[in-house]
Amino acid sequence: LEPGSLQVVAALHCLEHLPDPLAVLDPLAARLARGGLFFAVVPNTTGLGRRLKGERWFGYRDPTHCSLLSPKDWVT
């Protein structure tokens, strides 16, 4: 894909499964058009579910989750 050729990039419940999400996000960002939309959904490590369930939270129970970051750490 050419740089700036994408209007929308959606990453739904996939980034938390990557050992190095930036290795995927940086090339995607380069292909996003100016004013384009990047939409991602990841487990919220600071959310109510995590606070209520502690170590029993679903994010921790999935062994394929290798990048459980705080919301602040996802925003660059």
Side-chain angles (χ1 to χ4, degrees):
L1 299 171
E2 296 296 319
S5 62
L6 300 175
Q7 295 297 317
V8 177
V9 172
L12 309 177
H13 299 287
C14 60
L15 297 174
E16 66 271 17
H17 298 275
L18 302 174
D20 185 6
L22 283 179
V24 173
L25 292 175
D26 285 342
L28 283 175
R31 286 160 179 79
L32 194 60
R34 181 177 293 260
L37 175 67
F38 178 79
F39 181 76
V41 177
V42 293
N44 185 353
T45 58
T46 63
L48 180 61
R50 160 59 181 94
R51 292 192 315 261
L52 290 174
K53 294 202 171 210
E55 295 301 314
R56 294 179 298 119
W57 178 57
F58 83 95
Y60 295 144
R61 290 192 328 250
D62 185 335
T64 67
H65 285 172
C66 54
S67 293
L68 289 172
L69 307 177
S70 72
K72 154 181 99 97
D73 292 330
W74 283 112
V75 178
T76 60

